[in-house]
Amino acid sequence: MLFLANQKILDKKQDIIDEIAKRTKEAKSMVLFEYQGLTVEDTNELRNKLAETGSKFKIYKNTLVKRAFDTLKIDLADELKGPKAMAFSEDEIAPVKVLADFAKTHPALILKAGIIDGEIADEAKLQELSNIPSREGLLTMLASGMMGTVRDLSICLDLYSKDLEK
């Protein structure tokens, strides 16, 4: 009887390990961060902000995360000391930006490491990525630059046509 209970526990743990491995493998970005010291309200607020960008927030036991990472041949064992949470997303930058912005007003949240588009990112790389403008911001900058070029071209053509009229 004892063996069956232990086997059920092991099966449940294996399901969690498989879930972590699947989420990590399928996500374009996964970020590990320290959350200890955040209140329940802070955690719920963070969860909602991440959800707005399509990101998922999960807390797993480090031993299960390490086993999932071992199956994926990911070496982040040094980062799995102390309580950590994970954010998964289909967007490479969104969870990093949300977490970095949230950390500005909640010093208990500390970005530790992540996997962005299949590459391991350390704390410095995550900080660098958090400074990149959002997709909408980049598209606005691109459109603005293109409009400026078109405007300058139209001015030049107008001046050239006026010069030909003389």
Side-chain angles (χ1 to χ4, degrees), residues 17 20-21 24 62-78 80:
I17 291 168
I20 296 167
T24 302
N62 287 345
T63 53
L64 300 178
V65 174
K66 183 179 179 337
R67 287 185 182 180
F69 285 177
D70 288 346
T71 64
L72 296 172
K73 309 236 182 314
I74 297 170
D75 183 23
L76 285 175
D78 293 341
L80 294 174

Side-chain angles (χ1 to χ4, degrees), residues 38-152:
L38 293 178
T39 65
V40 173
E41 293 83 21
D42 292 341
T43 305
N44 288 335
E45 180 185 348
L46 176 60
R47 190 180 307 273
N48 291 335
K49 286 185 179 194
L50 285 167
E52 288 172 10
T53 65
S55 304
K56 302 268 189 266
F57 171 103
K58 291 292 277 185
I59 299 172
Y60 297 106
K61 287 185 169 262
N62 287 345
T63 53
L64 300 178
V65 174
K66 183 179 179 337
R67 287 185 182 180
F69 285 177
D70 288 346
T71 64
L72 296 172
K73 309 236 182 314
I74 297 170
D75 183 23
L76 285 175
D78 293 341
E79 301 300 335
L80 294 174
K81 293 179 177 125
K84 299 283 185 296
M86 302 172 83
F88 302 93
S89 181
E90 290 302 311
D91 186 310
E92 292 89 349
I93 308 275
V96 178
K97 292 187 73 56
V98 170
L99 291 167
D101 287 344
F102 197 79
K104 290 175 186 173
T105 56
H106 300 83
L109 190 145
I110 302 168
L111 295 175
K112 295 308 279 181
I115 301 171
I116 310 297
D117 217 12
E119 305 263 337
I120 293 178
D122 61 2
E123 199 171 337
K125 181 70 174 175
L126 292 175
Q127 194 60 40
E128 181 182 318
L129 290 171
S130 72
N131 294 326
I132 294 175
S134 67
R135 183 175 192 277
E136 290 78 23
L138 289 171
L139 289 173
T140 301
M141 290 166 52
L142 175 66
S144 162
M146 292 173 70
M147 286 173 48
T149 304
V150 170
R151 185 190 70 235
D152 292 346

